[in-house]
Amino acid sequence: MQTSRRAEYAEATRQAIIAASRELFVTKGYVKTTVNEIARTARVAPATVYAVGGGKQDLLRTVIQDGPASPVFDSLRAGIEAATEPGEVLRLVVRASREAFAAWADLMRVVTDTAPHEPAAAESLRVSRQIQRDCLAAAARRLESLGALRPTVDEATDVLYYYLGNASFFTLTGDNGWTLDGAEHWLLSALHKALL
């Protein structure tokens, strides 16, 4: 019983530190955020931030890995494997990419802008992109197994990433002013033409 409470408290502390890190990275930027501010926002001691999160650089990586890698892409992998129609695979992957973007665009903008100047941000961006590419590769392999893919799996993965990476969503919704619904509809149509 005591171990269970201790584990629950430790996980609650970890989640508070991760949430505080994300909030501050988004509102202040990665460079301007300090461990002391993260500790104050999470209501823990700075030493706890270091013990649990390993410092600002490790926290950025943890925020990224605990974010997009978690529910949206986990559920996408299961859906891809269960899909029996090529159109269903594309609908799932476009929807999951849209949901991940909607949930994480604010942080990914900070990471993308910071990456050229901060190795920790560049590494976090690399990790985030790899998580997404792995899911997109699974979709490409599933399309191939359904006999619906025109290009190779590697080429299809690249095409999927080109259309569904953060840069495309930033361009469509930010630069062009499209709604997420409009972007999702257009991306789905474009991928049908490009891949099937």
Side-chain angles (χ1 to χ4, degrees):
M1 187 70 92
Q2 184 71 8
T3 305
S4 174
R5 285 191 190 147
R6 191 173 299 144
E8 287 174 13
Y9 177 76
E11 182 57 23
T13 300
R14 179 181 179 276
Q15 290 304 319
I17 290 169
I18 290 170
S21 300
R22 178 183 175 175
E23 175 188 332
L24 290 167
F25 292 155
V26 168
T27 58
K28 294 191 72 176
Y30 172 79
V31 174
K32 292 182 180 177
T33 298
T34 67
V35 169
N36 285 344
E37 291 169 321
I38 293 170
R40 191 168 36 256
T41 302
R43 299 180 183 208
V44 299
T48 303
V49 173
Y50 284 108
V52 172
K56 193 166 86 165
Q57 296 85 356
D58 290 334
L59 280 169
L60 181 61
R61 188 169 25 260
T62 299
V63 167
I64 296 293
Q65 289 173 332
D66 280 13
S70 49
V72 171
F73 287 127
D74 286 345
S75 130
L76 172 60
R77 286 182 185 99
I80 287 170
E81 287 307 312
T84 58
E85 307 247 340
E88 183 183 358
V89 173
L90 288 181
R91 274 191 305 281
L92 286 168
V93 78
V94 171
R95 173 49 62 107
S97 297
R98 174 220 169 124
E99 289 175 2
F101 177 79
W104 293 92
D106 54 358
L107 180 65
M108 293 316 297
R109 174 59 79 192
V110 170
V111 173
T112 301
D113 291 347
T114 306
H117 315 291
E118 282 289 328
E123 173 61 14
S124 293
L125 187 58
R126 187 198 65 73
V127 166
S128 171
R129 288 175 174 164
Q130 191 58 54
I131 290 167
Q132 186 176 25
R133 283 188 73 91
D134 289 346
C135 284
L136 298 176
R141 287 191 300 273
R142 184 65 181 142
L143 289 170
E144 181 187 49
S145 75
L146 293 171
L149 195 60
R150 280 189 293 117
T152 67
V153 168
D154 288 343
E155 290 167 343
T157 301
D158 290 343
V159 168
L160 284 162
Y161 185 74
Y162 175 79
Y163 280 99
L164 300 177
N166 286 325
S168 292
F169 280 101
F170 280 132
T171 298
L172 293 173
T173 62
D175 298 343
N176 295 348
W178 291 16
T179 64
L180 273 172
D181 284 342
E184 180 179 5
H185 178 75
W186 182 83
L187 288 165
L188 183 57
S189 174
L191 283 168
H192 267 276
K193 292 172 188 168
L195 298 178
L196 303 183

